[in-house]
Amino acid sequence: MARRLLAAALALAAWLGARADTHGALHERHAAQMWEHRGDARGIVELYLASDLLDAVDSAEPFEAALKNVVQAPDADPEVQAHAAARLAKCLRDRGAQEEADRLDASLGYLLKWRVLGPFDDDNKQGYDLPFPPEIELQYEGTFRGKSHSVTWRPAPAQLTGGVVPLDQLMDPSENVAGYALTFIKAAADTPCVLRGGYNEAYKLWVNGELIAARKQYNGRAFDQFADPCTMRKGWNIALGKVCNQEAGWNFLLRATDAAGRAL
């Protein structure tokens, strides 16, 4: 019996080792394909396929080097570079290289200075279509009736990790709720712009009072999940977002880019 158990254990260990080697080889293959397709959208797909298999390799350093090569490549597509920079920043933060990660974040054009208001009621996802006070008349001061208590505008933290605005850390409750976030964007001249964002969960987005996006999709956040074109007028512009959330993880990120995906 003992010999059979030992043989079974050795066979299982060999199978697990072979499986790990296979996943490691797949990771390396996808990382190589990311570089080969740095100039087109498939590079993004290969990047995330490689990322999903990162645990199968002994060290993340080769993948970090591959990401860095894409970020620095003059012939890489700007959107591929942005995804690579965001993923590289996460790798760096995971191993404590915060300053280097912050420099990458700064290159991506995240909008970082926000004021937030809420929460308002979104039971049964009905709050998405209800116009709460900021949608009726945008007032920067005052007290408003929220979901369970009075609410006022408050600043988001000055330091946002990976550009993410943690609404669930700023407003309570954070489930079955709607909230608003406000920022100001200065443009030297009238400028075509794409606001690329990720949202937990459904959202609406206005620029200078014009609704430029509305997606009632209650799902998780991803980097550059949606791209919404608009025009930034010369001077100061007002961007207002509404984010509705049913379950834990209420947050969003937003960055300003040109049509190709380069940070403005």
Side-chain angles (χ1 to χ4, degrees):
M1 174 65 74
R3 289 182 179 178
R4 285 201 297 271
L5 288 174
L6 178 60
L10 291 172
L12 177 61
W15 179 80
L16 290 174
R19 188 170 182 265
D21 288 344
T22 300
H23 284 183
L26 279 174
H27 164 80
E28 293 174 0
R29 187 182 311 161
H30 288 307
Q33 286 296 308
M34 173 187 69
W35 173 254
E36 290 298 319
H37 291 276
R38 63 191 179 277
D40 61 76
R42 182 176 165 185
I44 298 173
V45 176
E46 298 294 342
L47 185 159
Y48 287 106
L49 289 172
S51 295
D52 287 344
L53 294 167
L54 191 56
D55 290 342
V57 296
D58 294 331
S59 171
E61 289 185 9
F63 186 52
E64 289 183 19
L67 291 169
K68 189 173 183 179
N69 287 339
V70 172
V71 171
Q72 296 177 343
D75 59 346
D77 179 86
E79 291 188 50
V80 179
Q81 286 181 314
H83 282 267
R87 188 64 182 85
L88 177 56
K90 183 181 185 306
C91 290
L92 293 168
R93 278 193 296 272
D94 288 347
R95 64 176 176 83
Q98 188 63 48
E99 290 186 6
E100 194 174 351
D102 288 344
R103 285 194 292 271
L104 278 171
D105 284 348
S107 73
L108 286 168
Y110 290 125
L111 301 177
L112 299 174
K113 295 181 179 180
W114 293 92
R115 298 174 70 190
V116 301
L117 179 69
F120 298 93
D121 192 10
D122 190 33
D123 284 340
N124 300 316
K125 303 180 182 179
Q126 295 180 357
Y128 181 86
D129 295 311
L130 289 176
F132 295 110
E135 295 179 57
I136 300 169
E137 182 182 0
L138 187 55
Q139 300 179 21
Y140 306 129
E141 305 294 339
T143 300
F144 309 90
R145 182 178 178 181
K147 180 182 176 77
S148 58
H149 53 81
S150 296
V151 297
T152 59
W153 289 101
R154 66 184 67 184
Q159 185 71 29
L160 299 176
T161 302
V164 177
V165 182
L167 298 175
D168 51 4
Q169 297 178 24
L170 301 171
M171 296 179 281
D172 183 65
S174 60
E175 295 187 343
N176 302 305
V177 292
Y180 293 86
L182 174 73
T183 193
F184 298 91
I185 305 168
K186 192 174 185 179
D190 288 0
T191 307
C193 175
V194 179
L195 293 179
R196 301 174 187 269
Y199 307 86
N200 255 327
E201 300 170 315
Y203 80 101
K204 293 182 180 180
L205 190 60
W206 295 262
V207 172
N208 297 326
E210 178 185 357
L211 181 66
I212 67 165
R215 292 184 173 89
K216 194 175 183 179
Q217 300 173 16
Y218 284 78
N219 48 26
R221 172 182 54 81
F223 179 80
D224 279 11
Q225 188 174 17
F226 300 108
D228 301 312
C230 61
T231 298
M232 294 295 163
R233 301 301 180 188
K234 180 179 180 180
W236 286 103
N237 297 264
I238 303 169
L240 175 70
K242 178 180 185 178
V243 184
C244 297
N245 187 62
Q246 291 291 291
E247 298 180 352
W250 189 22
N251 52 58
F252 76 96
L253 61 83
L254 196 64
R255 65 190 196 98
T257 76
D258 63 13
R262 302 180 187 87
L264 291 178

